[in-house]
Amino acid sequence: MSEREGELDVVSLENEEDEDIPDVATCQRLVEQFAEITGTDEACAQFYLQDRKWDLQWSVNAFLEARSGGIKILNDGDEPEVVVTFDSQMVSVLSAATEKPPDKFCFITWNIDGLDDKNLKKRTKTIARIIERERADIVFLQELVPKTFTYLENLLPQFVFVVGDTRDYFTATLLRRTTVYFDAHNIVPFENTVMGRNLLCVEAHIGDVKLNLLNTHLESTAEHSKERVEQLTLAFTNMKSCLPSSTVIFGGDLNIRDKEMSSVHPPSNFFDLWEACGRRPECRWTWDTERNTNKEMPGRFKPKCRFDRVFLRSAESPLVKPQHFGLLGLEKAPGTQSFPSDHWGIIVHFEIVKRANDSASSQSLSLIRPSTSK
């Protein structure tokens, strides 16, 4: 650390080989912002930022935890949980400090199986830890129940929760307060549902990127195939109605079977992201009773399905490109013999690309298509 308090050691920064370190001017700005948020000096700011790849939010959180200020210990009958609290002043300062919008973001969708009481609190806590560990920006959750909803709000105060309902079981869309900004929402009811299902539509933005986020849990079980296909068709219709200037992400627990999917035919500019990211076979099945033992299935046949899916329609510019598609929740919740849910979660990493030339939409869409088919 520099001997002159309040100044950056420019020589050491310029010689640093770590690609994660920004330029000197950006480092100085981050140091000043950290000091303003925490009420400390720039020497302390350098100490925290340098150890955390100059990530402002991560560094502030670490400082708060170390000082036991701005945090609370959640004693809920389970092991104590450290929860960082974001009061209105903290959120305001952090938001103002983020002058440059991110050029990437992380998305998760997960049916968290709130209807199963077995190890529910520990499973839910594990899901919250995974969401934060992955530094997700946008999260679609399905099958919340009132008690897991309240619990997750306590565990994840750094997110805005937008819910599709608050009775029985329902969906919620979570937006990280310092990266994704909520604009509006509405709920589209499914008139044919017998299970209280709907389409939760959230409008938000990340810098110049306008987002339409459509989260749903379609009708369950094989005997409700007709209703499910009608609901999926309605969801695609809502996707098509979004403005061309908006990036549309649609997903959730669709409960869809491959033969049902083939009868719906999504529009040509909508991309199934498992397919667009290379069709990796290890990421295909999101409800897999061979690997996931939360639901014991009698007999030798262990069904597996791609119930959970994510679709993207990117705007012409800025272009949102999927970079990675993976699964979450593959390890059992600590202290239990249960996985976090009977569904695997889906995680997708996106890159935001600003193109100088916004000529043709087909040119934009070609950037999303997989280069090879498997």
Side-chain angles (χ1 to χ4, degrees), residues 256-268:
I256 204 75
R257 281 66 169 169
D258 287 340
K259 63 180 181 181
E260 296 169 349
M261 193 71 230
S262 63
S263 69
V264 178
H265 303 300
S268 59

Side-chain angles (χ1 to χ4, degrees), residues 109-110 130 133-134 274 280-288 291 306 308 324-330 343-348:
T109 181
W110 206 342
I130 292 172
R133 181 192 71 199
E134 299 296 337
W274 173 71
R280 290 166 58 208
E282 66 271 25
C283 297
R284 178 170 189 170
W285 311 117
T286 63
W287 190 75
D288 184 351
R291 297 171 64 191
R306 194 157 73 94
D308 308 84
H324 171 78
F325 182 103
L327 298 180
L328 296 172
L330 304 178
H343 289 244
W344 305 136
I346 291 174
I347 182 168
V348 186

Side-chain angles (χ1 to χ4, degrees), residues 320-341:
V320 171
K321 294 175 56 181
Q323 298 295 306
H324 171 78
F325 182 103
L327 298 180
L328 296 172
L330 304 178
E331 298 179 357
K332 292 181 178 179
T336 78
Q337 289 301 309
S338 298
F339 291 96
S341 172

Side-chain angles (χ1 to χ4, degrees), residues 31 46 65 115 126 153 166 182 192 223 228 293 295 324 330 332:
V31 163
Q46 289 179 47
E65 290 180 16
L115 295 176
T126 301
E153 277 197 311
T166 53
F182 172 81
N192 65 354
E223 56 266 31
R228 184 163 49 249
T293 55
K295 296 288 189 289
H324 171 78
L330 304 178
K332 292 181 178 179

Side-chain angles (χ1 to χ4, degrees), residues 13 19 57 63 67 73 79 107 177 225 230 236 272 356:
L13 286 175
E19 294 180 356
Q57 184 178 336
F63 172 83
R67 295 296 187 273
I73 306 298
E79 67 268 24
F107 168 87
R177 295 179 186 273
S225 175
E230 291 173 353
F236 281 138
D272 182 319

Side-chain angles (χ1 to χ4, degrees), residues 95-116:
S95 300
T98 311
E99 295 176 1
K100 183 181 178 182
D103 56 8
K104 57 186 177 181
F105 65 93
C106 175
F107 168 87
I108 289 173
T109 181
W110 206 342
N111 179 323
I112 62 172
D113 194 18
L115 295 176
D116 185 354

